[in-house]
Structures are given as structure tokens and as C-alpha cells.
């Protein structure tokens, strides 16, 4: 199940920011195509070009994903226990960890998976739910992509499938940590995780 979550997360969040006026589902469709062009570009087939490829993918992810909204929802009631400076630090370190980890996984795990775009539903003028199917090993996995409109641009803030949610999964982990660690210690833990990822590259 964790591998499916990683696959869904990787495929659905490799999307660049597009111009104002695009429908959420069209933003998704155009963006996935751009992300896949980077993944399948033979220019990055050599081992010494993998870091350059990962940097491009990380930039795309950071442009699209609303890491502040995601972080706020992940921390939930603990958000108020972080000072403004700690909130900014948490968002920065958490987003750096996620982009480094998932883009690295994307390079290793992507196996020509495709998406079927089913439809979209507006929850409000600034929030939408995009329904897609991830074709994985011959199965069509239903995935809901939650998006929010910020400054005229649609951004991702959660992914749900089979009753799982990226926000809820990470929320459970941070709630456990924050029962015994301070916000400063949690931020330091993220920094250490990033250092580990850098050593593995």
C-alpha cells in the first residue's frame, strides 16, 4: 500500500503552475505531460545527469504544491504551538524533505504508469476535487486530487485514495512526534532527514 501511495503522489504532483483561467483538471493534464517529458527525456539517462533531472522535478513540485496549506493541515492543532518563525522553518524543511525524497523515488520507481482523467467537482470557487485513475500493473486505481486556488493559480494540497489521505498519514506521524518533542526538535529532525537523503544521493 505504501508503494501505491508513493506512485500516486509522484504521478499526481509533478505538475507546473499554469496561467490563470485553467480548469483544475486541465492544469493537471497539462502538468503531468510536462513532468513526464522530464522523466522520459533521454538527456537524463546517464547516471551523472540524474541530479539535474531531480532538481528540475523538485522545482516543478515546489511551484505547484501548496506546502504551507499541506503543512498547516498536517500539524492541525499543533500549528498554534509553533511560533511564526518556526512555522516558516517547518514549511521550508518539510517541503525540502518531501521534494527530495519523492523526486528521488520517482526516478527509481516510474514504470510508464499513465493517468485517466475522469472529472472534476468544485467544492467552492477556490477549492476543487479532481478524479483520476492511475493505471498501475493493469489496475485502475481511483485517486482524488484536492486543489486550492491561490492568487489565481490552482495548487495541490492533498491526495486521497482507498480511504487514505497524504495529510492524515503525515498528521499521525507528527502528532506522535510532538507528544514527546518540541517544535524546534521536530524541525531539527527534518533537517537531519534531509542530510541523510543528501548523503544517499
Amino acid at each position: 500500500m505504501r508503494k501505491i501511495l508513493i506512485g500516486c503522489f509522484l504521478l499526481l504532483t509533478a505538475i507546473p503552475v499554469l496561467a490563470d483561467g485553467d480548469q483544475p483538471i486541465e492544469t493537471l493534464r497539462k502538468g503531468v505531460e510536462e513532468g513526464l517529458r522530464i522523466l522520459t527525456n533521454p538527456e537524463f539517462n546517464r547516471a551523472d545527469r540524474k541530479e539535474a533531472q531531480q532538481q528540475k522535478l523538485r522545482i516543478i513540485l515546489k511551484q505547484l504544491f501548496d506546502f504551507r496549506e499541506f503543512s498547516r493541515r498536517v500539524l492541525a492543532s499543533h500549528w498554534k504551538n509553533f511560533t511564526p518563525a518556526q512555522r516558516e522553518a517547518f514549511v521550508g524543511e518539510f517541503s525540502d524533505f518531501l521534494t527530495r525524497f519523492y523526486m528521488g523515488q520517482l526516478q527509481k520507481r516510474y514504470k510508464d504508469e499513465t493517468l485517466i482523467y475522469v472529472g472534476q467537482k468544485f467544492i467552492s470557487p477556490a477549492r476543487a476535487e479532481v478524479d483520476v485513475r492511475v493505471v498501475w500493473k493493469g489496475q485502475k486505481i481511483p485517486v482524488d486530487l484536492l486543489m486550492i486556488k491561490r492568487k489565481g493559480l490552482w495548487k495541490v494540497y492533498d491526495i486521497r485514495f482507498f480511504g487514505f489521505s497524504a495529510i492524515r498519514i503525515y498528521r499521525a506521524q507528527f502528532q506522535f512526534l510532538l507528544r514527546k518533542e518540541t517544535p524546534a526538535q521536530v524541525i531539527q529532525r527534518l533537517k537531519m532527514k534531509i542530510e541523510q537523503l543528501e548523503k544517499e544521493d
Side-chain angles (χ1 to χ4, degrees), residues 102-145:
Y102 283 110
M103 292 305 97
Q105 291 295 308
L106 176 57
Q107 290 174 308
K108 298 174 184 176
R109 296 178 182 270
Y110 177 70
K111 302 295 183 183
D112 297 322
E113 290 89 349
T114 59
L115 295 183
I116 299 172
Y117 304 87
V118 178
Q120 64 183 14
K121 177 176 67 177
F122 284 90
I123 303 169
S124 73
R127 291 181 60 219
E129 181 178 310
V130 179
D131 181 15
V132 302
R133 299 290 183 273
V134 178
V135 182
W136 185 72
K137 292 187 176 181
Q139 301 181 33
K140 295 179 180 178
I141 303 168
V143 178
D144 293 324
L145 179 67

Side-chain angles (χ1 to χ4, degrees), residues 9 11 26 32 39 46 54 99 104 107 122 126-127 133 149 175 193-194 196:
F9 189 94
L11 286 171
E26 289 306 316
V32 168
L39 274 177
R46 301 198 318 266
Q54 187 174 142
T99 54
Q107 290 174 308
F122 284 90
R127 291 181 60 219
R133 299 290 183 273
K149 201 171 190 179
Q175 284 182 340
K193 289 288 187 180
I194 293 168
Q196 290 176 7

Side-chain angles (χ1 to χ4, degrees), residues 22-23 27-28 91 96 185 193:
D22 283 320
Q23 294 290 308
T27 299
L28 176 63
V91 173
D96 196 14
Q185 289 173 319
K193 289 288 187 180

